[in-house]
Amino acid sequence: MGPVGHNTRGWLFAAPVLLLVTLYLVIPTIWTVYFSFFTGGFRPAEFVGLNNFRRLFTGDRLFLDISSFPWSGALINNILWLVLLPAGAIIFGMTIAVLADGHTWERLIKIIVFVPMVVSNTATAIIFRFLYNMNPRIGFLNAVLTNIGLEPRPWLSSRNYVTLSLIAAAVWIWTAFAMTVFSATYKALDKDTLQAATVDGAGEWQKFWLISLPMMAHAISFVFITIFIQTIKIVDLVLVATDGGPAGASRIIGFSFYWETFQNLDVGYGSAIAVVMLMLLVPVMILQVRRFKAEEQ
Amino acid sequence: MKRTIIGVCIVALLAVSVTLWARGTREDAPREVQVLAAMGGDEAIAFGNVLQRFTEETGIPVMYDPQSGDTVITTANTRIASGARLDVLTLSRPGNILEWADDGHLVALNDGDNPLVPTEMLHDNFSQSWLDLVAIDGRYYGVPLKAFSKSVVWHRPASFEQLGLEYPETWQEWMQVAEVMADEGRTPFVISGAEAWTLTDWFENIYARVAGPDKYNDLFIRHGVSWTDPTVVEAMEYFRQVLENDEWIALGRDGAIGLSRDEAMGLVLQDPPQGEMFYLAGFMDRVGRANFPHLTSGEDYSFFPFPQIQPEWGNVVVGGGDHAIAFNDSPEVRELMRFLSKPETAEYFGSQERGAVISPNTNASRHMFTGAQRLEAEQIDSAEVFLFDGSDMAPGAVGGDAMFTALQDFLMDPSRLMESLEYIEAAAQRAY
């Protein structure tokens, strides 16, 4: 078969996927961008140009408030999420994967750490609502605090704590994922190199820091990108745990998008938020595609 | 030749069966009615029993889909936009109902020669104010299905007895009661702020008693009153009297903002109580009955009406309720809407063991209600002015979002009174 026929066959193989991607991804994305220039419900009513975006960045203190320090709003919260969640999950995941490796109770430890991975975000949100409850009769964390003579803290109901408390819950979930990947990678590391290092007199810490960790760079970047993308998409955890409260203090971009679109039926404004979300994801996607290509070669 | 004969036979057979099937669906079997209801828990089951009875009486099948109030509007809007069938919906938001009516999606109940429900039947069974909530130019769009009071202060009567306190009838007396309780080492108020509509209800009750029904409706329905109007500021100042003493509030303001309504009710009913008075709605009785079965509703715990502020506005009750609305006109939908308008149906709905509701139907007997629910029915029936939940009549961006954020903000820091109001005003300017 000549080159043209080969090409046609390739397109035919790709056609079903292309059709689905066009139908469910490309067209809705174009629609969303289109909606973001309008006001009104699901039927665009009035063209407003960039007004939705202007309001988003200058007129909506729940989305972005830089009038006083510390800055606040869904965007700032999301940046905090994007820094702390992958970092926390990678550090905890790596620590557990390496320390548990070869331990007598390795299996048990891993099973316990893996449990959150099979729990849905909604269930996690409810579990942590109890855990964080202000009333020491209900909230485990505050029960501990009051038992050692401290005051109970409003984990989910104070502006200062709420985002950090929610991130901690998410770290609990994603540590499981990071640990699983790291553990598998760690076990597959080239043992000869490590043995050679031992012979040369390297300590455990040096071996980990100078040999194992660099050899796991690929796994770390994979875990980082996966969690990064998931973080931008989070809605359910915040919605169930706090409804974005108190007073909008725990909103993140995905939540704001959902809230403006479906609660306030301000579809144009919600679409503008979705466009911002997309913009945040584009660099990560480019990075990811480059990585795939590099791996192919 | 043989083939042709077989072919003709098959076609003929198909034609006959299709005709029979079509006749069957058109004339013999009644068409299923699609019902979407904003109801949850026991109430959803109770309403399911009501629809079951309808099917038993009329032979008309019902496809019943109860959903939470948050999602039901989205579902309905999606069905409208996509053209999927939806016949009847029950909802507690007259604002949305009027919007749909305006856009031509609803069938007026009392329109034309063969109306869904005749005007006389509606006038016989319901008070004008309930019908007016969902009326445009004399056309009624909803059958009132359910009523509840949101002017209710839950407490334990034993606490009042122990402290020798009388039930407060005015705001001043109420604050005095709170002071005595605080002096005796008790925590007077339980406030639940996690689901922020509880705070909008606080504000609505105060505003109705400060500014009266006209301004109240003006503020919420038309935004005819600004959110920075002196009457609004005055109402917020009353609210601040409750909020500014951190010791007056169970778990403090920081705790209150994270407290769900069920937990809050529990704080009053548990032994020993962590707070004495919890303002909210009559339907919290259900939480008491379910979670504290050893307590008797109306005796061990009960409610007193939200105290008066300006005597000129009389006995005001702020409350809410559901209407059943019709998106299509068909004989089956007509049967159902008339069925829902009957006092017998209201009584059947009210006599459910669990999830019973109080009907706005004036001909329905109240004998089946017990405990605090009986008190609630009496309160609704005796109200001189019944005002519908204001935030439910306002556009979602105001009543379901800006007010939530601003009042939670105010609960956390009562000194931010004007900032809170300006925030709502900005949202209102966009939304109306």
Side-chain angles (χ1 to χ4, degrees), chain A residues 43 55 59-62 129 133-138 154 157 159 245-248 251 259-260 262-265, chain B residues 73-74 77 81 105 251 254-255 257-258 263 267 270-272 274 396-397 400-401 405 408-409 412 416 423 430:
Chain A
R43 280 179 215 134
R55 185 178 142 209
D60 184 349
R61 69 179 170 85
L62 293 186
R129 250 168 66 172
N133 197 297
M134 177 78 175
N135 189 347
R137 286 169 170 228
I138 301 170
S157 49
R159 279 207 180 84
R251 289 188 179 194
W259 199 255
E260 297 293 350
F262 295 103
Q263 171 76 25
N264 295 349
L265 288 176
Chain B
I73 292 171
T74 314
N77 274 325
H105 297 305
L251 304 173
D254 281 347
I257 192 81
E263 286 174 79
L267 293 187
Q270 74 188 26
D271 200 27
Q274 272 182 277
D401 188 10
T405 306
Q408 282 189 329
D409 208 11
M412 285 189 287
R416 292 172 54 83
Y423 184 79
R430 275 195 303 271

Side-chain angles (χ1 to χ4, degrees), chain A residues 86-126:
Chain A
I90 287 173
I91 291 171
F92 283 114
M94 182 66 84
T95 311
I96 295 167
V98 173
L99 290 186
D101 193 69
H103 194 279
T104 331
W105 290 344
E106 182 179 349
R107 281 187 155 199
L108 183 70
I109 295 169
K110 284 188 181 164
I111 288 170
I112 291 173
V113 177
F114 190 74
V115 164
M117 207 65 224
V118 297
V119 177
S120 71
N121 278 353
T122 311
T124 305
I126 291 170

Side-chain angles (χ1 to χ4, degrees), chain B residues 32 51 117 209:
Chain B
E32 187 181 69
L51 294 173
V117 187
R209 288 165 177 76

Side-chain angles (χ1 to χ4, degrees), chain A residues 218-239:
Chain A
H218 241 57
I220 295 174
S221 92
F222 165 73
V223 168
F224 178 82
I225 288 176
T226 309
I227 299 182
F228 192 91
I229 293 173
Q230 293 299 326
T231 307
I232 293 180
K233 297 198 302 188
I234 289 176
V235 178
D236 42 8
L237 191 63
V238 175
L239 188 71

Side-chain angles (χ1 to χ4, degrees), chain B residues 106-432:
Chain B
L106 299 186
V107 182
L109 299 177
N110 56 338
D111 214 12
D113 297 336
N114 188 10
L116 284 180
V117 187
T119 311
E120 313 81 67
M121 187 173 183
L122 290 169
H123 282 165
D124 281 352
N125 285 304
F126 303 102
S127 72
Q128 194 60 40
S129 61
W130 273 92
L131 295 169
D132 281 345
L133 280 168
V134 290
I136 298 175
D137 301 332
R139 288 197 194 94
Y140 302 131
Y141 284 92
V143 174
L145 196 62
K146 168 181 132 183
F148 49 80
S149 163
K150 285 187 165 183
S151 295
V152 160
V153 183
W154 293 102
H155 64 281
R156 281 173 172 247
S159 289
F160 277 74
E161 256 169 56
Q162 283 162 10
L163 300 173
L165 289 166
E166 300 269 323
Y167 290 128
E169 285 179 6
T170 66
W171 182 272
Q172 220 176 356
E173 288 172 12
W174 198 14
M175 295 303 114
Q176 282 162 1
V177 164
E179 256 168 53
V180 172
M181 286 175 166
D183 289 346
E184 297 287 332
R186 314 248 181 139
T187 310
F189 291 103
V190 177
I191 291 172
S192 101
E195 303 125 307
W197 60 261
T198 52
L199 301 175
T200 68
D201 289 355
W202 256 104
F203 172 79
E204 286 157 20
N205 267 284
I206 298 174
Y207 191 70
R209 288 165 177 76
V210 165
D214 291 342
K215 282 209 148 185
Y216 177 95
N217 286 326
D218 244 18
L219 176 71
F220 290 107
I221 301 177
R222 289 174 287 277
H223 190 217
V225 176
S226 155
W227 279 89
T228 50
D229 188 84
T231 54
V232 182
V233 176
E234 191 189 345
M236 287 287 273
E237 274 163 358
Y238 276 106
F239 194 9
R240 181 151 70 182
Q241 291 176 23
V242 176
L243 301 181
E244 64 191 350
N245 290 316
D246 206 39
E247 324 73 69
W248 274 21
I249 300 170
L251 304 173
R253 282 194 296 268
D254 281 347
I257 192 81
L259 205 58
S260 76
R261 61 183 194 275
D262 289 10
E263 286 174 79
M265 187 77 176
L267 293 187
V268 177
L269 300 198
Q270 74 188 26
D271 200 27
Q274 272 182 277
E276 297 295 337
M277 297 181 285
F278 173 45
Y279 156 72
L280 201 62
F283 53 70
M284 293 309 290
D285 186 31
R286 239 174 267 153
V287 178
R289 290 182 198 233
N291 296 356
F292 296 87
H294 57 287
L295 299 181
T296 308
S297 166
E299 287 174 27
D300 295 323
Y301 67 93
S302 190
F303 72 79
F304 59 82
F306 199 99
Q308 269 188 0
I309 297 176
Q310 298 292 349
E312 60 183 299
W313 306 121
N315 169 16
V316 180
V317 172
V318 175
D322 290 10
H323 287 82
I325 56 177
F327 286 85
N328 291 312
D329 189 354
S330 72
E332 291 84 4
V333 172
R334 183 170 304 130
E335 285 280 337
L336 179 59
M337 295 308 269
R338 290 183 186 188
F339 176 80
L340 294 176
S341 308
K342 286 191 212 162
E344 296 79 23
T345 306
E347 284 164 12
Y348 184 66
F349 202 178
S351 54
Q352 295 293 310
E353 198 178 331
R354 300 180 68 176
V357 305
I358 298 165
S359 164
N361 194 314
T362 46
N363 295 323
S365 158
R366 306 297 202 200
H367 71 270
M368 64 292 250
F369 297 122
T370 59
Q373 200 171 22
R374 163 162 288 194
L375 294 176
E376 188 190 359
E378 283 166 10
Q379 190 191 24
I380 292 169
D381 291 340
S382 67
E384 286 165 355
V385 184
F386 187 89
L387 291 174
F388 206 85
D389 189 317
S391 57
D392 283 350
M393 296 191 292
V398 175
D401 188 10
M403 280 184 79
F404 285 10
T405 306
L407 290 174
Q408 282 189 329
D409 208 11
F410 183 59
L411 168 58
M412 285 189 287
D413 183 359
S415 71
R416 292 172 54 83
L417 190 152
M418 280 320 287
E419 286 91 334
S420 302
L421 292 180
E422 280 157 10
Y423 184 79
I424 306 175
E425 176 62 20
Q429 300 234 350
R430 275 195 303 271
Y432 284 90

